[in-house]
Amino acid sequence: MAERIARVVREEPRRSFGFLIGVAALLAATVVLVIGLSGTPGAAARGRSAQRAGARTAALSQSQISANVDHLLGEMTVAEKFGQLEQAGPGTPTGSDLIPLAEQGKIGSVLDLTGVDNINAVQQAAVNNSRLHIPLIFGLDVIHGYRTMFPVPLGEASSWDPALISTDESVSADEASADGIKWTFNPMVDISRDPRWGRVVEGAGEDPFLGSAIAAAKVTGYQGSDFSAPDRLAATIKHFGGYGAPVAGREYNTVDMSTQQLFNDYLPPYKAAVDAGAATVMSSFNSLNGVPNTANPYLLTTILRDEWGFGGATISDYQAVQELEAFGYASDGADAARLALTAGENIEMAVQIGATAGQPVYSTYEQYGPQLLKEGKITMTQLNDAVRHVLTLKYLAGMFSNPYQGSDARVASSELSPAHVSAARQMADESMVLLKNSGGALPLSPSTANIAVVGPLADDALNQLGPDVPIGYDTNAADLKSTDKIVTVADGIKAADPSATVTTVNGCTTFTVDDPCNETGGFGAAVAAAQAADVTVVVVGEPSGMSGEASSRTSLDLPGQQLALIQQIAATGKPYVVVLMNGRPLTIPWLANNAPALLEAWYPGTEGGDAVADVLFGKVNPSGKLPMSFPVNVGQVPVSYNELPTGRPYDPTSKWNSRYLDAPNPPQYPFGYGLSYTTFGFSNLSAPTSVSSTGTFHVTADVTNTGSVAGTDVVQLYLHESDTSILQPVKKLEGFQRVALAPGQSKTVTFTLGPQNLGYYNDQGQFVVQPGPFDLWVGDSSAGVGLNSPGLHTTFTLS
Ligand code: BGC
């Protein structure tokens, strides 16, 4: 892929709160007000002043927005129209190179520019100096935090708590919008069953039902009920579609799948997010069944617009329109522009406009669009439709009425506010998954005298944020703990047990993607610390750069010599527990068989160390459940609980069935699995024996805390239908609830099910509800209860 020309600002120093720029922004706001009130330029401006009088754009009805957009379209030149479809990133740290483009109306939106002063200066150029005074909208990957960093999305998904996830996104929206960002390229709602693919860290795992609940919650969290509110963002669902199933788990690779698999497994979170009102949709880099998604009319028009009624804007992925040539799908840049635009791609992302000779040209719409129009290869209606979506987005985002939504004052009051930091801790607490705990290894006594905290991630503030730290985040080593307030595991343990002697030893000389603890020279100090301690907390995992975009792996083992480090600590015979930080399910059979306790912390964010300590010392009883299966070995991949049945179901005692010779079929740890410091029992499952294809019905079950400490369980309901025209998964999640229980307490959990839970998409992509016999299970993992018990089971018939 081409160089990311816009990414040079990653090391940008943090914003300055300069008086002069603040005054400039104020003046700019005044100027736009005057322009609006003076009636220039025409009805669009009158619309703007009307909005101002009525506070926010939302005061405008759909038809008023439509009328304003139509009027603007009537005034725009062809070049200005194509300009609105281009999205550029800054080539200089302040974005000064964007100013002439904004003034000339050559861009409609900006990505990757941060800092409210920078943003307001570029906005001012568009609003004051462009011919039609159309504001820009500023977008960024705000994935799991802006300044207050939450656990990575796969970690958030482990909470199975959509309401809390929604809160996280509203915190991110508040912080990012304070800084002038108005549009996030998130949530990533791609389902994946292949942990080789590095981007599983950005999503909600392998299941469409859980993924849909989380997708909708994220959209609502970012947007609220009206994303013109200054503290909200427009959301983007990405990457449409099937992006999570690249062949061999290799990033950007081909996706080839049946219609029914696409509709049943990969599209539901998109549909849920569209129904929740997502403002924009980003197409994916991959091809789907032979057609690159950047120019895929079946996805971008037939499914998205015609079937789902999506009314927002679509956007390509980074320079992906140009890449249609590299696919060999478009013959040249002009053809790429034609194919993308006519397929339904509204905005071209990450363009380079006015490139000097010899540099690649990514702005295919702006470069070739006018000629394509002249030649009749695209129509004015197609162009106007695309521009209409962009202008409407800006109206809905309140950009016309309030183009300067960020401010230094908002930045100062929102970033890392106590409420935001406490939300990050709560989510980190809920995202921890206790994978193993033998012999009461955990929780640790809060009065343990000597604790060794060992391993490359024991005290690594930056890595614990994961791979998606937003552009503009202060990554200076000296600022991570002070300015960014990141709490590492070592810090968290010290704070939780202040009277303990805590010895922190990294053990690994380096911990990078290229050298992820390959040297064992530092192990001696780590082992000595373990020898001297009452207990050792070993914190291992992946350097954060090993997951995320362009980070596929063929091995899912702990990288480098980290397992050897743990084995040396184990050989001391002293107590130890293992904390994992990683962005994907790993293959950890030795740990599963030998470690006394295993806590999956993912990359837990700003408050990660406090949250790990909360769980280690039992202040918080872990309640996270895996959103994605942990395979035994990489040969099992892709692996998920919701596979289709075979004619020769798994039987490890005989040969001629669907199995491996050298490994079991079940994963090490299945979807939905996670332990607690207490135990839960299930009883009294009740469901009707026969249900109809219309209307709803209830399933109830009792869950009891059978242990001696309070805890929260995630009660899960699974279904399977037999005798269908197209095979249905052996199990599929159709309900879940978090239930908090005091010791000995029971609660009755009620699930309400209806046709949407019973039906499936057929090979034409049509949703059908087909009569037949159903199995129903209730438990707290896809394996029933825990790892092996079947859970409660009943059957019913759909007639
Ligand atoms: C990623 C997108 C992201 C975009 C802008 C692309 O490379 O695939 O997920 O939103 O860059 O940063």
Side-chain angles (χ1 to χ4, degrees):
M1 178 171 143
E3 272 304 293
R4 306 201 114 198
I5 50 166
R7 299 299 164 98
V8 293
V9 289
R10 193 172 271 284
E11 302 306 328
E12 174 201 353
R14 300 191 76 179
R15 71 205 55 73
S16 81
F17 297 89
F19 170 75
L20 283 178
I21 300 205
V23 170
L26 192 65
L27 283 177
T30 314
V31 171
V32 76
L33 184 70
V34 171
I35 289 170
L37 293 175
S38 71
T40 311
R46 286 195 294 282
R48 291 202 291 279
S49 75
Q51 293 148 32
R52 238 170 263 118
R56 294 210 302 262
T57 309
L60 285 183
S61 66
Q62 274 294 342
S63 61
Q64 285 170 310
I65 291 179
S66 215
N68 287 356
V69 168
D70 281 343
H71 185 88
L72 264 183
L73 278 170
E75 296 195 354
M76 292 168 84
T77 64
V78 165
E80 284 166 340
K81 288 180 183 177
F82 281 108
Q84 285 302 309
L85 307 184
E86 297 290 25
Q87 178 173 95
T92 62
T94 61
S96 53
D97 57 324
L98 295 171
I99 288 179
L101 302 179
E103 289 176 340
Q104 293 158 33
K106 288 195 165 189
I107 51 174
S109 55
V110 169
L111 83 160
D112 291 354
L113 181 64
T114 61
V116 65
D117 303 334
N118 299 331
I119 285 177
N120 284 347
V122 177
Q123 182 70 299
Q124 195 179 337
V127 170
N128 290 358
N129 302 340
S130 70
R131 192 178 74 87
L132 292 174
H133 310 280
I134 299 173
L136 297 164
I137 180 167
F138 296 82
L140 186 76
D141 287 344
V142 182
I143 309 284
H144 57 108
Y146 190 68
R147 294 296 174 258
T148 305
M149 296 301 293
F150 292 89
V152 289
L154 198 58
E156 290 178 304
S158 303
S159 71
W160 293 53
D161 193 343
L164 195 64
I165 293 173
S166 193
T167 304
D168 295 357
E169 307 308 29
S170 56
V171 167
S172 299
D174 186 26
E175 293 188 350
S177 62
D179 208 23
I181 304 296
K182 193 59 196 175
W183 183 13
T184 175
F185 305 124
N186 204 52
M188 190 280 228
V189 302
D190 295 313
I191 297 300
S192 186
R193 298 157 170 191
D194 193 336
R196 292 172 300 181
W197 188 50
R199 299 198 83 166
V200 299
V201 68
E202 279 179 67
E206 73 190 37
D207 181 69
F209 186 85
L210 178 63
S212 298
I214 292 176
K218 288 191 171 186
V219 168
T220 313
Y222 287 125
Q223 297 189 172
S225 56
D226 168 9
F227 60 89
S228 75
D231 60 350
R232 296 292 183 174
L233 299 177
T236 308
I237 41 177
K238 68 185 191 185
H239 310 80
F240 196 54
Y243 191 47
V247 169
R250 203 178 70 220
E251 180 71 305
Y252 313 129
N253 203 11
T254 308
V255 176
D256 203 301
M257 66 169 63
S258 67
T259 302
Q260 64 265 31
Q261 188 176 34
L262 181 69
F263 275 86
N264 287 305
D265 297 333
Y266 289 85
L267 294 188
Y270 283 94
K271 173 82 166 62
V274 166
D275 291 346
T280 62
V281 173
M282 185 189 295
S283 59
S284 51
F285 285 123
N286 62 287
S287 67
L288 175 67
N289 302 336
V291 179
N293 283 347
T294 306
N296 193 328
Y298 177 57
L299 282 179
L300 294 175
T301 299
T302 309
I303 295 177
L304 195 58
R305 303 263 185 221
D306 302 346
E307 292 181 16
W308 295 353
F310 176 67
T314 56
I315 179 166
S316 80
D317 207 335
Y318 205 98
Q319 296 170 351
V321 178
Q322 179 75 35
E323 287 170 18
L324 292 171
E325 263 189 273
F327 268 108
Y329 193 71
S331 53
D332 54 24
D335 202 31
R338 177 187 66 81
L339 286 164
L341 197 85
T342 56
E345 194 78 88
N346 301 153
I347 302 172
E348 183 176 23
M349 176 188 263
V351 300
Q352 190 183 7
I353 291 176
T356 51
Q359 284 187 311
V361 174
Y362 300 106
S363 46
T364 66
Y365 282 12
E366 190 250 0
Q367 286 278 314
Y368 308 111
Q371 187 62 26
L372 289 169
L373 197 64
K374 266 194 208 138
E375 293 167 1
K377 290 184 176 164
I378 57 175
T379 64
M380 187 58 90
T381 307
Q382 287 167 328
L383 174 60
N384 283 347
D385 273 356
V387 179
R388 184 174 284 113
H389 288 304
V390 177
L391 296 176
T392 303
L393 169 70
K394 294 183 186 183
Y395 268 105
L396 292 172
M399 304 316 290
F400 282 90
S401 55
N402 188 5
Y404 307 100
Q405 297 187 22
S407 70
D408 289 344
R410 281 196 56 211
V411 167
S413 67
S414 74
E415 282 191 0
L416 288 159
S417 70
H420 292 183
V421 172
S422 128
R425 180 155 182 177
Q426 193 185 348
M427 176 48 83
D429 282 341
E430 287 194 13
S431 70
M432 303 278 152
V433 187
L434 184 63
L435 297 175
K436 185 179 181 198
N437 191 19
S438 49
L442 287 176
L444 305 176
S445 158
S447 55
T448 310
N450 279 296
I451 305 174
V453 191
V454 161
L457 289 156
D459 193 28
D460 184 336
L462 192 54
N463 267 310
Q464 91 176 33
L465 301 186
D468 289 303
V469 174
I471 286 177
Y473 190 88
D474 181 358
T475 54
N476 291 326
D479 297 337
L480 295 174
K481 291 193 179 184
S482 50
T483 317
D484 299 332
K485 298 191 184 163
I486 301 171
V487 180
T488 64
V489 175
D491 300 329
I493 287 177
K494 285 177 199 160
D497 189 1
S499 60
T501 303
V502 178
T503 310
T504 306
V505 183
N506 181 320
C508 303
T509 2
T510 55
F511 196 58
T512 61
V513 173
D514 294 333
D515 185 353
C517 195
N518 291 336
E519 305 299 325
T520 57
F523 287 11
V527 174
Q531 278 286 9
D534 299 321
V535 65
T536 299
V537 178
V538 195
V539 195
V540 292
E542 296 175 294
S544 59
M546 272 197 169
S547 52
E549 185 175 353
S551 302
S552 294
R553 294 181 64 195
T554 59
S555 161
L556 299 175
D557 294 345
L558 272 179
Q561 296 297 316
Q562 294 180 92
L563 183 57
L565 173 63
I566 302 168
Q567 287 168 335
Q568 288 188 22
I569 286 164
T572 64
K574 300 290 296 274
Y576 74 98
V577 299
V578 176
V579 176
L580 294 169
M581 286 190 190
N582 40 283
R584 53 157 62 81
L586 296 175
T587 48
I588 45 171
W590 190 91
L591 293 178
N593 292 328
N594 297 285
L598 256 182
L599 180 68
E600 177 55 76
W602 308 108
Y603 297 115
T606 305
E607 273 287 280
D610 279 334
V612 167
D614 284 344
V615 171
L616 291 181
F617 290 105
K619 183 174 167 195
V620 165
N621 190 349
S623 59
K625 301 282 183 180
L626 292 180
M628 199 168 174
S629 309
F630 271 49
V632 170
N633 61 35
V634 76
Q636 283 186 326
V637 169
V639 62
S640 68
Y641 81 96
N642 48 3
E643 60 187 9
L644 296 183
T646 73
R648 295 191 172 194
Y650 180 53
D651 175 1
T653 64
S654 84
K655 178 164 184 184
W656 306 103
N657 63 83
S658 179
R659 58 175 293 232
Y660 301 103
L661 289 177
D662 55 357
N665 279 17
Q668 188 84 55
Y669 297 117
F671 173 82
Y673 167 80
L675 298 174
S676 164
Y677 294 148
T678 187
T679 47
F680 298 99
F682 292 82
S683 57
N684 296 331
L685 176 60
S686 161
T689 51
S690 144
V691 304
S692 83
S693 59
T694 56
T696 58
F697 61 99
H698 301 300
V699 174
T700 58
D702 293 344
V703 53
T704 304
N705 181 343
T706 50
S708 55
V709 290
T712 296
D713 203 10
V714 180
V715 182
Q716 301 161 37
L717 179 148
Y718 294 89
L719 292 178
H720 166 68
E721 186 178 17
S722 309
D723 304 349
T724 45
S725 312
I726 289 180
L727 289 172
Q728 291 304 294
V730 291
K731 268 186 180 179
K732 58 174 189 168
L733 183 74
E734 287 297 335
F736 63 89
Q737 284 177 39
R738 287 175 58 88
V739 183
L741 294 166
Q745 189 186 6
S746 290
K747 278 186 188 165
T748 301
V749 178
T750 303
F751 294 99
T752 303
L753 302 178
Q756 73 281 6
N757 305 103
L758 304 177
Y760 63 89
Y761 288 91
N762 66 15
D763 56 1
Q764 304 300 308
Q766 295 152 338
F767 191 75
V768 293
V769 182
Q770 192 174 0
F774 273 81
D775 287 284
L776 181 156
W777 297 264
V778 171
D780 61 6
S781 125
S782 63
V785 178
L787 273 180
N788 297 312
S789 142
L792 301 176
H793 174 250
T794 188
T795 58
F796 65 88
T797 306
L798 168 66
S799 46

